[in-house]
Amino acid sequence: MLDGHGRLIDYLRISVTDRCDLRCRYCMSETMQFLPRREVLTLEEIAVIAERFIARGVRKIRLSGGEPLVRRDFGALARALGRHVHDGTLDELTLTTNGTQLAHHAGMLVEAGVRRINVSLDSLDPATFAYITRGGELEQVLAGIAAARQAGLKVKINMVALRGLNDGEVLPMLQYCDANGHDLTLIETMPLGEIDDDRSDRYLPLHEAIMPVRDMYDIAPVTYRTGGPARYFVVSGLDARLGLITPLSDNFCAGCNRMRLTCQGRIYMCLGHEDHIDLKAAFREHGVDGIDTLLDRALATKPKAHDFHVDKGAAPATRRHMSVTGG
Ligand code: SAM
Ligand code: SF4
């Protein structure tokens, strides 16, 4: 599939639920209102829609949320989509998770055909972790990561860089990743949805966040890509690769290959725009036949780039949170 700017679109991210068992401060407000269940696609509907996207040329799917592993029967969806990995019609099925439920699900993921997952881990200090996530338990996530590794999953750690909260932890996190066989991706905080704080207070450009790493190690860019927006670096003397996702300080939209399906059945062609195509009604009325025309319309309207700013007091770029669209 080509979009209106000639970019090849072969990567679909699906938010399987907007709900979550954590309330990370940069992602959600403390009193989040979640979608009524009747507005959310069933797992069977998600599988059928995703299969149509695969037939149109999607080669990689990432399941996300909210927290995908809190959705009941999530395994049925993973198995349905994993069949396409086994028969070669999909190159990769991956997952982004906060890790709290991983210890129970790691085996199921491997059986389904998942080989690599991203786990969000913003701090290795139990108190800071609990503060950022509003009550999360670090030990539970570390146990989940260990279980995933034991089950044979390759784990990449995602860390959102937050000024004054975890800026002193970038180097220790990289060393933890090196010691445990993970790559590390740092992410700049993006202005998506209202939260309780002002994001500008916490925004930390990544060239600044990695200064302690540069002080200690040589880093060099590599061509390695995982299909997402991260640019990777090798760090001299360490096994862990360092990925940087810089939507604010260094725009990467020219290489965008992604579209997103939300748990409400909407296609968003850009994380940072409100424009979307509502698939759910057409799908419920006409089945898969209704999908193709809407998909073509979505491709034609994919914006050239997002336009994020994290300025003091500025409104978010979108009213929806990352958890609705799927990170
Ligand atoms: N709950 C899962 C998790 O935390 O990994 C999956 C969903 S979460 C929305 C996906 C990724 O988006 C996580 O790595 C999270 O840290 C990141 N994220 C959430 N809100 C963000 C924001 N406003 N800016 C940057 N990254 C954000
Ligand atoms: Fe939940 Fe992930 Fe958002 Fe944290 S970042 S609140 S774990 S959806």
Side-chain angles (χ1 to χ4, degrees):
M1 289 181 281
L2 290 178
D3 76 357
H5 304 280
R7 293 172 294 197
L8 179 72
I9 309 299
D10 60 0
Y11 184 176
L12 174 66
R13 293 195 178 185
I14 305 177
S15 174
V16 304
T17 176
D18 62 327
R19 290 168 194 253
C20 188
D21 53 347
L22 300 179
R23 295 286 183 280
C24 302
R25 288 170 187 272
Y26 54 81
C27 177
M28 295 189 178
S29 72
E30 190 161 14
T31 53
M32 280 293 284
Q33 297 293 311
F34 296 109
L35 293 164
R37 286 186 204 279
R38 66 179 178 286
E39 282 190 26
V40 172
L41 292 176
T42 65
L43 293 176
E44 293 76 18
E45 287 175 321
I46 293 176
V48 172
I49 293 173
E51 280 167 356
R52 187 65 214 143
F53 281 47
I54 293 170
R56 291 287 308 269
V58 161
R59 299 296 310 176
K60 173 171 174 173
I61 292 181
R62 175 174 296 282
L63 301 171
S64 183
E67 175 46 41
L69 296 181
V70 300
R71 178 128 190 207
R72 198 173 331 144
D73 286 339
F74 171 81
L77 176 65
R79 279 189 291 274
L81 296 180
R83 277 199 286 275
H84 293 274
V85 176
H86 294 303
D87 73 15
T89 47
L90 198 58
D91 293 336
E92 196 174 31
L93 177 66
T94 59
L95 175 82
T96 303
T97 173
N98 64 23
T100 61
Q101 313 300 314
L102 251 183
H104 311 297
H105 294 286
M108 171 278 288
L109 290 170
V110 172
E111 248 172 62
V114 175
R115 299 286 169 260
R116 294 188 312 129
I117 60 172
N118 290 354
V119 181
S120 300
L121 182 61
D122 297 324
S123 174
L124 288 169
D125 173 68
T128 309
F129 183 82
Y131 179 79
I132 293 174
T133 56
R134 294 196 180 93
E137 284 179 31
L138 177 65
E139 278 308 317
Q140 196 181 353
V141 175
L142 294 181
I145 293 171
R149 229 180 19 238
Q150 187 126 35
L153 289 165
K154 175 91 183 132
V155 177
K156 179 164 76 70
I157 301 296
N158 278 354
M159 176 185 192
V160 177
L162 300 163
R163 188 182 293 287
L165 283 181
N166 63 5
D167 35 2
E169 287 199 61
V170 172
L171 186 56
M173 187 67 85
L174 185 62
Q175 289 164 335
Y176 158 83
C177 288
D178 173 54
N180 290 280
H182 312 307
D183 287 341
L184 171 65
T185 296
L186 301 177
I187 307 174
E188 289 175 347
T189 179
M190 294 175 237
L192 303 170
E194 291 286 353
I195 53 170
D196 301 325
D197 306 329
D198 189 325
R199 281 198 178 87
S200 66
D201 294 337
R202 298 291 178 207
Y203 169 59
L204 179 64
L206 294 188
H207 56 83
E208 198 181 321
I210 63 167
M211 276 176 187
V213 178
R214 281 188 186 279
D215 286 347
M216 187 132 180
Y217 301 99
D218 290 327
I219 73 169
V222 280
T223 51
Y224 172 78
R225 302 293 296 225
T226 58
R231 287 173 297 117
Y232 284 91
F233 296 81
V234 286
V235 185
S236 61
L238 298 188
D239 269 342
R241 271 180 294 240
L242 177 63
L244 304 182
I245 299 186
T246 53
L248 285 115
S249 66
D250 190 6
N251 185 289
F252 45 65
C253 300
C256 187
N257 58 350
R258 294 174 288 290
M259 63 167 89
R260 294 157 198 274
L261 174 69
T262 71
C263 52
Q264 287 162 290
R266 295 176 175 180
I267 309 178
Y268 282 90
M269 296 305 289
C270 177
L271 189 60
H273 282 258
E274 299 286 11
D275 302 342
H276 63 272
I277 300 276
D278 195 351
L279 274 190
K280 187 173 70 201
F283 176 69
R284 287 186 175 167
E285 206 169 321
H286 307 293
V288 278
D289 295 342
I291 295 180
D292 274 357
T293 318
L294 294 178
L295 188 47
D296 288 335
R297 198 180 305 161
L299 285 165
T301 57
K302 183 166 166 70
K304 197 164 183 189
H306 65 241
D307 187 22
F308 288 151
H309 302 280
V310 183
D311 302 323
K312 190 92 193 149
T318 64
R319 287 180 46 226
R320 37 178 229 292
H321 296 79
M322 176 89 107
S323 48
V324 172
T325 329

